[in-house]
Amino acid sequence: MIATKLPKVGTTIFSVMSQLALERKAVNLGQGFPDFEPPQGLRDALGRAMNEGRNQYAPMHGIAALREQIVLKTERLYGRRLNVDTDITLTSGATEAIFAAIAATVRAGEEVIVFDPAYDCYEPAIELQGARAVHIPLTVPTFAIDWQRVRDAVTSKTRMIMINSPHNPSGAVLSAADLDELAAIVRETEIVVLSDEVYEHIVYDGAHESVLRHPELAGRSIVVSSFGKTYHCTGWKVGYAVAPAALSAEFRKVHQYLTFCTFHPAQAAFAEFMASDPQHYLELPAFYQAKRDRFRTLLAPSRFKLLDVPGGYFQLVDYSAIRDEDDLAFSRWLVEHGGVAAIPLTPFYERAPGTRLLRLCFAKSDATMEAAAERLCRL
């Protein structure tokens, strides 16, 4: 018998709830993917790339045309000019980028600070390096960071601090003041910042405060982004990591032996589409805000209490007026008796918080949102 290296890991809550939704024919608002298609122009570009022979290995760090588009976008949005050759690495999804970043920089016996609720791929990647995740809970219901608790948690073993903005599952966003607090904490240390910014273009009030806007942090950070979230094509599994040259060099040492390179036709398609339609990501906040507002209007007659959604495409709801039970039990009850699949927050925590909150995804068509809301309003 092989002793497991990940004793706390089982089937992810996303797979569990999606399977239950399938079995019960429930409306699936659990897993965070759109049920509508990517832009037609992007799909056409993918077909052209394949038909034009872009079907073999791409360069390990990504094709030049796409890296050039990322340089243009990053300067336009965040005022930071990247080196196209040294600072950008295309990856097979954001999850690969997060794993490679941790594997490249964190050593056995070191510590990584994460904020609960934390996305479920963070801790396994940390544990596989022989390191330890130090969990700090966010403040409910705003899901803000208590920076004094971060200061208290930093030790000589702290190697990395992971942040996620807009935050999954809460939708909370970090402010410029938050980034200043973080910079003050890591200043004069060897701590690396890993910033998960996969929902960077889905912010509803003001601009996204990327780590790349903050010169001091940008010089010591790995920033992870996702084409899948931005262009409604999560199944293509294309993301990228931005880091200064020295960090990128270490990142690429892991990346080249993890996946080596990323789906070549998709890279070519993104490069073409970003050049021809740069407005897409600029229009994304309005696109998703309309969905957010529509979903909240549909749920207004229900007994769920709706938390604010500053960013991302998830709505947290408080179900305490409907049933008094933990979120794992209520999620199963909701699938079986309400006909809707949601995601409980407990799997995102080191210790169950005892809140009565669920995550619902509104990156869905109007028909899907209406069908789900009709069922939820009956409860």
Side-chain angles (χ1 to χ4, degrees):
M1 179 66 71
I2 297 174
T4 179
K5 294 179 74 174
L6 294 170
K8 294 186 285 186
V9 172
T11 304
T12 72
I13 190 64
F14 306 105
S15 297
V16 170
M17 297 312 299
S18 290
Q19 182 60 36
L20 279 174
L22 187 64
E23 292 170 0
R24 298 288 179 169
K25 296 182 171 56
V27 180
N28 189 357
L29 300 185
Q31 200 161 358
F33 59 83
D35 68 348
F36 44 86
E37 295 303 317
Q40 185 64 53
L42 179 61
R43 286 179 279 158
D44 292 343
L46 179 68
R48 280 194 295 275
M50 290 187 287
N51 291 331
E52 292 169 2
R54 309 291 282 273
N55 299 305
Q56 308 309 324
Y57 296 124
M60 182 268 287
H61 51 294
I63 66 170
L66 184 51
R67 287 182 281 112
E68 288 163 1
Q69 288 299 319
I70 293 169
V71 167
L72 292 173
K73 186 194 86 164
T74 303
E75 186 168 27
R76 181 183 300 132
L77 293 183
Y78 307 133
R80 186 168 183 81
R81 181 73 181 181
L82 301 176
N83 183 304
V84 69
D85 295 316
T86 62
D87 297 356
I88 304 162
T89 307
L90 275 295
T91 62
S92 297
T95 303
E96 189 230 324
I98 289 166
F99 185 92
I102 294 168
T105 58
V106 178
R107 300 173 180 83
E110 294 182 327
E111 296 175 345
V112 178
I113 292 175
V114 300
F115 299 97
D116 287 355
Y119 191 63
D120 66 350
C121 78
Y122 294 176
E123 186 166 24
I126 295 164
E127 290 186 338
L128 285 171
Q129 314 317 314
R132 184 173 78 91
V134 176
H135 295 261
I136 298 176
L138 298 172
T139 305
V140 177
T142 61
F143 293 89
I145 295 175
D146 181 340
W147 292 107
Q148 186 55 52
R149 292 192 67 167
V150 181
R151 291 185 184 88
D152 294 342
V154 170
T155 72
S156 60
K157 295 182 178 180
T158 305
R159 178 58 173 161
M160 175 181 281
I161 297 176
M162 296 183 66
I163 57 174
N164 174 206
S165 179
H167 180 254
N168 178 13
S170 74
V173 296
L174 295 179
S175 66
D178 285 314
L179 296 187
D180 286 341
E181 291 273 12
L182 177 59
I185 290 170
V186 299
R187 190 175 297 140
E188 299 180 7
T189 74
E190 297 299 317
I191 296 172
V192 174
V193 172
L194 175 52
S195 186
D196 177 352
E197 301 185 16
V198 301
Y199 299 101
E200 63 184 311
H201 301 302
I202 312 176
V203 176
Y204 305 118
D205 299 304
H208 167 56
E209 289 296 339
S210 174
V211 162
L212 296 172
R213 283 185 189 276
H214 196 289
E216 184 178 357
L217 288 176
R220 66 188 314 140
S221 299
I222 302 171
V223 178
V224 174
S225 296
S226 167
F227 286 108
K229 298 293 190 295
T230 300
Y231 293 97
H232 321 313
C233 53
T234 59
W236 292 16
K237 292 297 290 181
V238 182
Y240 62 96
V242 170
L247 273 177
S248 280
E250 296 305 309
F251 179 93
R252 290 174 179 179
K253 289 177 184 179
V254 175
H255 165 70
Q256 71 177 340
Y257 294 116
L258 189 58
T259 62
F260 179 71
C261 66
T262 294
F263 185 41
H264 194 166
Q267 290 193 53
F270 286 127
E272 177 184 324
F273 191 71
M274 288 178 76
S276 66
D277 192 359
Q279 289 299 112
H280 175 87
Y281 57 78
L282 297 176
E283 295 168 353
L284 211 57
F287 174 82
Y288 273 118
Q289 183 166 341
K291 289 190 173 294
R292 179 198 68 174
D293 294 348
R294 173 66 173 154
F295 190 52
R296 290 172 68 87
T297 298
L298 289 169
L299 289 181
S302 76
R303 291 197 289 162
F304 291 98
K305 178 183 177 182
L306 309 183
L307 277 65
D308 291 339
V309 185
Y313 53 48
F314 302 110
Q315 172 70 62
L316 290 190
V317 296
D318 185 323
Y319 62 84
S320 55
I322 299 172
R323 288 175 73 85
D324 184 21
E325 60 188 1
D326 68 64
D327 58 356
L328 292 168
F330 183 80
S331 296
R332 291 183 175 274
W333 180 88
L334 185 61
V335 172
E336 294 171 0
H337 298 279
V340 176
I343 295 295
L345 265 60
T346 291
F348 293 82
Y349 281 88
E350 180 183 37
R351 296 181 181 85
T355 54
R356 299 291 187 258
L357 299 175
L358 294 182
R359 191 194 83 171
L360 302 173
C361 178
F362 57 80
K364 306 296 178 185
S365 67
D366 285 351
T368 300
M369 289 193 287
E370 288 164 7
E374 182 183 5
R375 298 181 185 195
L376 293 170
C377 286
R378 293 196 211 116
L379 300 174

